[in-house]
Amino acid sequence: MAAADTVELLEQLIGIPSVSPEHTPDARIAGEDRLACFLAGYLEEQGFAVSWQDRDSGRPNLLGSYGPGDAPATLLFEAHMDTVGVTGMADPFRPRIANGRVHGRGACDCKGPMAAGLVALSPDALDGLVGKGYRVVFAAVMGEETGNAGAIRLVEQGLRADRAVILEPTELEIVHAHKGALWFDVEVKGRAAHGSNPERGVNAILGMARLLERVQKHHEADRARLNHERLGPPTLSVGQIRGGTAVNIVPDECCARLDRRTLPGELGAEILAGVRAELDGLVREGLLLGGEVKVIKEGPPFHTDEASELVRALGRACERAGLPARLAGSGWYSDAGPLSTACPEVVVFGPGSIGQAHTCDEYIEVESLRRGAAVLSALCRELASARAVRKDA
């Protein structure tokens, strides 16, 4: 298909609101069901057999399958349907083209990459892949922006693939590794007292400050001993903290929310055990009266070897489309994390820049969109021209 078809499809996708319900109280624009219905019709027109996961929930996953169910291998293309909210945006669902850019909510994250992937899966591309032993699955999922719920559901309900392309705005870099995301709350307890007699209380805020200092010290030790060739060292950020009820009351509670980005091979349970050990130590010292560590989200990191067939084929596809094959790792998180537990070869790839995601003037460059579709089309040809896949491969 020509570039104009990719732009036209993206305009249609932008025009269908699919804001994560956690990001809006407006039922008219919340949820993915409207977009899923459009995509179901599109995929059926392309010859896909369409199925749904949890359609009655109003927040479904949609799967299109092309080729025999008992094919030797499965090639998965995946994109999330949900977007962030639209506060501060004017006409977020009316696509606008200006200065070589398509503007609108989702243009970059992630409806532009989705459009490029859909256009790449032309009838000729699909038939070529099936002829080499692939079943092709296109998965449009819910809930990526608020915890990857749709991708987790895919895995829990049995989806498996041999190779997977997660469509996200990577500036056409081949992201073959990203860090995991471990988000957790630390809640600590003290004893309230009048502010004029602080010695009668146990200050939960001061106790939390000491705990965070010790956790940070452990993290610095982790950074000194851990370094991934593509991802660098792990990171830790204290994103939120709250405590106390009044200036003249010694606070008896404090809560902090932390974001720990993990490397392949790290275990979240070990990291949390270290935090709990420091908390217990402060309790024994009398600097706190108690506390708890609660996981908010734990998403695994992923790493696909750059010598894998998928990474090499996508590199050749970039070159075939006139672009350099740029390999990269990332600190941000995506559906590649949970899907890597059900697929041995995973990459994240697509047109657009993550720097434009979630902004009030979200856009994608038309040229990037065109090139993304060209690379993904070339990837289909590369995989279809390689040796046939076998069940025992």
Side-chain angles (χ1 to χ4, degrees):
M1 288 186 172
D5 294 319
T6 314
V7 173
E8 181 181 353
L9 177 58
L10 174 56
E11 289 181 294
Q12 291 178 286
L13 298 177
I14 291 172
I16 304 171
S18 57
V19 178
S20 173
E22 291 89 343
H23 288 207
T24 181
D26 189 347
R28 295 172 300 174
I29 64 173
E32 299 88 350
D33 189 64
R34 289 174 293 266
L35 182 56
C37 288
F38 171 84
L39 291 171
Y42 180 94
L43 290 169
E44 286 174 343
E45 287 182 1
Q46 300 302 307
F48 284 82
V50 168
S51 62
W52 300 73
Q53 288 183 342
D54 299 333
R55 185 175 189 180
D56 292 341
S57 70
R59 303 199 66 191
N61 284 339
L62 179 76
L63 293 98
S65 178
Y66 192 98
D70 61 350
T74 295
L75 174 64
L76 171 67
F77 284 78
E78 191 259 20
H80 68 87
M81 295 183 285
D82 58 319
T83 71
V84 295
V86 296
T87 301
M89 297 185 74
D91 294 323
F93 309 114
R94 183 174 64 84
R96 178 172 59 89
I97 300 176
N99 301 317
R101 298 167 174 173
V102 183
H103 297 254
R105 178 54 86 217
C108 166
D109 185 20
C110 148
K111 294 178 179 180
M114 176 187 286
L118 288 168
V119 167
L121 294 174
S122 65
D124 287 345
L126 290 167
D127 289 340
L129 289 164
V130 170
K132 282 291 181 169
Y134 283 102
R135 176 177 70 116
V136 182
V137 175
F138 190 95
V141 307
M142 54 77 67
E144 188 271 350
E145 296 288 2
T146 53
N148 310 97
I152 293 170
R153 183 191 296 171
L154 286 178
V155 175
E156 289 178 343
Q157 296 195 18
L159 180 69
R160 298 293 182 269
D162 299 276
R163 291 167 181 152
V165 179
I166 313 306
L167 298 164
E168 288 279 4
T170 69
E171 299 183 21
L172 302 177
E173 290 185 329
I174 302 168
V175 175
H176 66 104
H178 70 49
K179 294 177 181 178
L182 176 62
W183 298 349
F184 58 98
D185 282 336
V186 181
E187 299 175 359
V188 300
K189 303 293 183 181
R191 181 187 302 117
H194 196 282
S196 64
N197 297 293
E199 70 279 359
R200 296 183 179 179
V202 177
N203 192 309
I205 291 177
L206 290 180
M208 177 66 82
R210 297 195 182 190
L211 176 60
L212 293 178
E213 182 180 11
R214 296 184 185 188
V215 170
Q216 181 66 33
K217 185 176 180 180
H218 273 286
H219 178 65
E220 291 303 325
D222 288 342
R223 286 178 61 86
R225 67 182 179 84
L226 298 172
N227 190 72
H228 188 275
E229 61 183 357
R230 187 67 70 180
L231 301 173
T235 61
L236 176 69
S237 173
V238 181
Q240 292 177 294
I241 191 166
R242 59 176 173 79
T245 56
V247 68
N248 60 342
I249 301 175
V250 174
D252 62 353
E253 291 184 339
C254 186
C255 179
R257 182 159 285 186
L258 286 76
D259 178 347
R260 174 66 154 77
R261 299 298 165 123
T262 58
L263 300 181
E266 285 196 283
L267 298 177
E270 293 182 357
I271 295 168
L272 297 173
V275 177
R276 292 187 178 104
E278 292 297 343
L279 175 57
D280 292 343
L282 288 167
V283 172
R284 288 194 300 271
E285 295 170 34
L287 299 175
L288 288 169
L289 298 185
E292 190 175 5
V293 178
K294 299 179 180 178
V295 175
I296 304 168
K297 167 185 174 177
E298 184 172 5
F302 96 96
H303 177 264
T304 300
D305 194 286
E306 60 187 77
S308 68
E309 176 57 27
L310 179 59
V311 173
R312 291 190 292 114
L314 188 50
R316 294 193 300 270
C318 287
E319 293 167 354
R320 180 183 282 199
L323 298 172
R326 297 177 294 150
L327 303 186
S330 176
W332 45 252
Y333 199 72
S334 78
D335 284 343
L339 287 171
S340 69
T341 66
C343 180
E345 294 186 21
V346 180
V347 295
V348 188
F349 180 84
S353 169
I354 198 69
Q356 278 301 314
H358 303 185
T359 64
C360 288
D361 184 29
E362 183 176 353
Y363 65 79
I364 191 169
E365 301 279 353
V366 171
E367 179 65 10
S368 178
L369 187 67
R370 181 193 68 79
R371 290 188 169 191
V375 171
L376 292 168
S377 295
L379 172 64
C380 293
R381 293 194 297 273
E382 285 290 332
L383 293 175
S385 64
R387 63 184 177 87
V389 292
R390 308 187 314 273
K391 287 185 179 294
D392 59 348

